[in-house]
Amino acid sequence: MEQTAERKENKMGIMPVGRLLFQMSLPMVISMVIQALYNIVDSMYVSQINEDALTAVSLVYPMQTLMIAIATGTGVGINALLSRSLGRKDYETANSVALHGVSLALISGVVFAAASFLLAEAFMGLQTSDPEIFSYGVTYMRICCTLCFGVFLQITMERLLTSTGRTLLTMFTQGLGAVINIILDPILIFGYFGAPEMGVAGAAAATVIGQFCGFFLGLFFNLKLNREIRLNFRRFRLRASLTGEIYKIAVPSIIMQCISSVMTFGMNLILLRFSSTAAAVFGIYFKLNSFIFMPIFGLNNGMVPIIAYNYGARKRLRINRAIRLSAVAATLLMLAGLALFCVIPEQLLGIFNASDHMLAIGVPAMRVISLSFIVAGCCIVLSSVLQALGSAFYSMLTSLIRQLIVLLPAAWLLAETFGLPAVWWSFPIAEIFSLFFTVLFFRKVYRQKIRPLPEDGGNGTGQEAAL
């Protein structure tokens, strides 16, 4: 039953770090790019219905962000705890973590589905009184969020594969879901090939179907190809102690991503005071920035198990090497994104059938917000390192400071004082604060957890970085 030869040492403990990070991250970066492309294509088709439909989907986005926050936050706890257990060669605990992860995904899906169905009208009513936008939003939210089991289980299956170093397989699970979504979007929205013309409901249905397809493929991979865990629920019982350990890591990550949902909701309320077009521009920005941020999240998803595994194996140089390479790669990606947003904002907005009014608001918005990209990549990487080391509270605190304590109040104050064009400056202002606190917390955790580790002398290569 046990693959003894493989279990002598996982590749995360012996492969040269640069090659390992590339091998672990590249499939996830590709799958995240596909995911970002799906987000853009989804909104592109919705924008062809009319601007109200695009605005409605943008207003539902905070609830979708909340759903993803719970799923991915729990995944962070599973990922870090499972990889750390493998680093200690504790395979029994690793397998138990995997089973707990699947169970928690199902429970979370049930709770979120019920809440979304009941609160859809109240949620949209808080943001708009426009009957068409309200109707579009309620329809989209009830389908996407009530049938959310697919996304919860898909993310969990991907985290199990990532935790054991099989990131290439996650490229196929995410890719399949995104490609199916992209194919089904025009068919279900506009009624091609004999399908009913469903409009906004078709966009939501395509999303849900794609998520379930990704889950089923992920389940197949874990059952057939993931030899380090066994998804056998016979005699399995949910243990409060292990659930608590998972959520000790996961809760700060969930809260951190929920903060993003609250921020988006708050920004929508501020922008809707000016016009629904301003809120639509903000929604478009999030779709477009996902094309820049998603690859960095893919890089992080490859980095986190490497950090967690080598922390469990007490290999300091390998941890340092992984951090340095990830920070450099993330910064370069962000600079490329800055160039795109500054040079061709009109063309980017044109993807979504932008009117002249939308271009007048959106072009300066894109250029100002993208200034925050300069330091955002490094902040994201260091924040993920804190999570991998079990210090996710600091990541949560940094996110809280950036998005709720600085960004929203700054946006409101700038809106009241200088009007809509000034609101966008709240993003680079908040990112400067984020950089300061992220570096501060990282240095503290580094001194406490990484510096005391022995030098492993191998495969990390080179001298230890002065971090």
Side-chain angles (χ1 to χ4, degrees), residues 149-301:
F149 302 98
V151 71
F152 276 95
L153 291 167
Q154 178 187 354
I155 289 172
T156 300
M157 292 299 142
E158 289 166 358
R159 290 301 180 268
L160 297 183
L161 293 168
T162 303
S163 301
T164 55
R166 293 169 174 84
T167 55
L168 179 63
L169 298 179
T170 66
M171 180 179 73
F172 294 109
T173 60
Q174 288 197 10
L176 176 67
V179 168
I180 286 176
N181 197 328
I182 290 170
I183 292 171
L184 290 180
D185 260 333
I187 295 173
L188 298 181
I189 291 173
F190 304 114
Y192 295 151
F193 306 114
E197 185 178 342
M198 299 173 65
V200 167
T207 298
V208 169
I209 293 169
Q211 290 165 352
F212 272 101
C213 289
F215 156 61
F216 287 123
L217 184 60
L219 178 63
F220 172 80
F221 285 154
N222 276 293
L223 291 174
K224 299 296 182 182
L225 303 177
N226 200 345
R227 295 185 292 268
E228 290 180 301
I229 58 172
R230 292 173 60 84
L231 296 180
N232 186 345
F233 282 87
R234 186 181 303 165
R235 289 179 296 199
F236 168 76
R237 296 182 65 182
L238 205 61
R239 285 168 29 209
S241 58
L242 195 51
T243 301
E245 285 187 64
I246 291 172
Y247 278 114
K248 182 181 177 182
I249 302 170
V251 166
S253 180
I254 292 172
I255 294 174
M256 183 171 62
Q257 295 180 71
C258 287
I259 289 168
S260 177
S261 178
V262 174
M263 181 277 291
T264 307
F265 180 76
M267 283 295 296
N268 282 335
L269 294 180
I270 292 170
L271 295 171
L272 284 166
R273 295 169 57 195
F274 296 98
S275 70
S276 61
T277 302
V281 165
F282 184 55
I284 288 173
Y285 159 72
F286 262 105
K287 300 292 183 179
L288 290 172
N289 87 4
S290 68
F291 207 74
I292 310 301
F293 281 82
M294 283 292 195
I296 296 176
F297 295 148
L299 174 72
N300 279 358
N301 288 340

Side-chain angles (χ1 to χ4, degrees), residues 7 60 76 184 247 264 330 333 342 392 440 451:
R7 289 193 169 185
V60 174
V76 167
L184 290 180
Y247 278 114
T264 307
L333 285 169
C342 287
L440 182 70
R451 187 169 290 168

Side-chain angles (χ1 to χ4, degrees), residues 323 382 385-386 389 394 437-447 450 467:
I323 295 171
L382 295 183
V385 172
L386 294 174
L389 296 173
Y394 291 123
F437 284 102
T438 301
V439 171
L440 182 70
F441 295 144
F442 173 75
R443 288 176 67 86
K444 179 180 178 181
V445 171
Y446 184 85
R447 286 193 297 268
I450 300 179
L467 295 171

Side-chain angles (χ1 to χ4, degrees), residues 259 263 396-411 430 433 437:
I259 289 168
M263 181 277 291
M396 179 194 72
L397 190 56
T398 302
S399 185
L400 179 68
I401 292 168
R402 180 172 68 87
Q403 299 188 78
L404 298 189
I405 296 177
V406 178
L407 195 152
L408 274 185
F433 278 87
F437 284 102

